[in-house]
Amino acid sequence: MSLLIVATPIGNLGDITLRAVETLKQSDFVAAEDTRTAKKLFTKFDIHSALIAFHAHSSEREVEKIIEKLKSGKSVALISEAGTPTISDPGSILVRRAIEEEIKVIPIPGACAAIAALSASGLRTDKFLFLGFLPTKKGRRKLIENLKNEERTVIFYESPHRIEKTLQQFGEILGDKREIVLARELTKLHEEFFRGTIAQATEFLTAKKPRGEFTILLAGM
Ligand code: SAM
């Protein structure tokens, strides 16, 4: 049957779509990156489909088990911990395998932190580059250096404990006058946008030590 790539909220449960709820209810199996988060969603929206775990460390065998289910006529919905599956989240291998097996892959669109952040950033949106998480070691510096003359808005995901260090490095390599936007805790109670130069953003982070999830947007030159 079909593999359904179902976007779920990035914080605010009100952002789930009607189609996502219907799809999750009607699917024979829901493959979830985090079964605990999935159970909360299931309780809230009265979903009773069978849950299976599918995460970054799932083996090839587990991918094949899902492919077998699909080939035997079952429908499988894929959800990640938050947002759109496969976008800096597991699932691309499963999607590729399904396509190879001529299984229909259907996106059920919804929240995605990168797009939500970009849409309200005030930065150029006609052309942008999504880089997901920066590599922590190898290739990191080179990658940032390559953005010196980048004209498009660049979007990154970053973990809260690395954000200060990342901005310091951006300042060193790209110059601390480059414009940046930090989108914090999108769709949640403490949602906040910081807009300014890299120097100002670093100051803001050092002074306020804000917590939570961040999406970083670097203005194009
Ligand atoms: N697949 C997800 C999506 O569609 O947005 C992204 C998953 S990725 C593992 C998690 C990263 O997304 C976080 O480290 C953060 O950079 C960003 N993110 C997720 N939720 C966010 C939120 N509510 N506000 C800001 N950034 C968020």
Side-chain angles (χ1 to χ4, degrees):
M1 256 255 262
S2 311
L3 173 62
L4 301 124
I5 312 300
V6 182
T8 58
I10 53 168
N12 188 327
L13 287 185
D15 290 334
I16 193 136
T17 68
L18 292 173
R19 193 169 168 227
V21 173
E22 278 314 303
T23 303
L24 294 175
K25 281 186 177 172
Q26 286 163 11
S27 296
D28 295 306
F29 294 94
V30 175
E33 182 189 13
D34 183 332
T35 48
R36 273 191 311 180
T37 317
K39 276 181 193 154
K40 282 188 200 153
L41 204 69
F42 277 29
T43 306
K44 171 91 180 160
F45 295 104
D46 198 27
I47 299 164
H48 302 278
S49 308
L51 255 182
I52 47 180
F54 182 80
H55 43 73
H57 307 290
S58 290
S59 64
E60 228 172 87
R61 207 175 110 70
E62 280 161 304
V63 171
E64 292 313 313
K65 272 196 200 160
I66 296 178
I67 294 293
E68 284 315 312
K69 285 187 171 57
L70 288 159
K71 282 168 79 176
S72 73
K74 304 287 184 198
S75 58
V76 180
L78 176 70
I79 59 173
S80 56
E81 196 191 336
T84 303
T86 80
I87 307 300
S88 293
D89 265 339
S92 325
I93 296 167
L94 182 60
V95 171
R96 267 205 304 277
R97 279 291 296 125
I99 294 166
E100 277 169 18
E101 297 294 333
E102 296 185 4
I103 292 162
K104 202 166 174 192
V105 182
I106 303 172
I108 309 292
C112 175
I115 299 300
L118 178 67
S119 69
S121 67
L123 301 178
R124 199 175 159 177
T125 59
D126 57 339
K127 291 192 179 77
F128 61 89
L129 177 64
F130 173 67
L131 290 182
F133 289 98
L134 279 165
T136 47
K137 292 192 182 94
K138 199 168 174 278
R140 182 182 168 96
R141 198 176 175 90
K142 182 102 192 90
L143 196 147
I144 302 172
E145 278 169 0
N146 286 343
L147 300 175
K148 272 186 188 159
N149 298 314
E150 177 57 62
E151 291 180 0
R152 296 164 290 186
T153 299
V154 191
I155 311 173
F156 304 92
Y157 286 155
E158 187 52 292
S159 79
H161 66 271
R162 263 201 296 264
I163 186 136
E164 264 188 82
K165 203 173 147 248
T166 297
L167 285 206
Q168 274 165 14
Q169 204 174 13
F170 278 6
E172 271 167 45
I173 302 173
L174 304 171
D176 59 10
K177 289 189 180 61
R178 184 90 163 248
E179 229 189 299
I180 202 162
V181 175
L182 305 179
R184 183 172 81 89
E185 293 285 89
L186 289 166
T187 77
K188 302 183 200 175
L189 187 63
H190 299 292
E191 178 178 282
E192 179 176 32
F193 278 84
F194 178 90
R195 301 177 178 89
T197 62
I198 292 178
Q200 289 165 336
T202 311
E203 220 172 88
F204 161 77
L205 289 179
T206 315
K208 297 219 167 144
K209 299 256 178 269
R211 289 159 188 265
E213 298 199 272
F214 286 90
T215 294
I216 307 176
L217 303 105
L218 183 71
M221 289 300 283

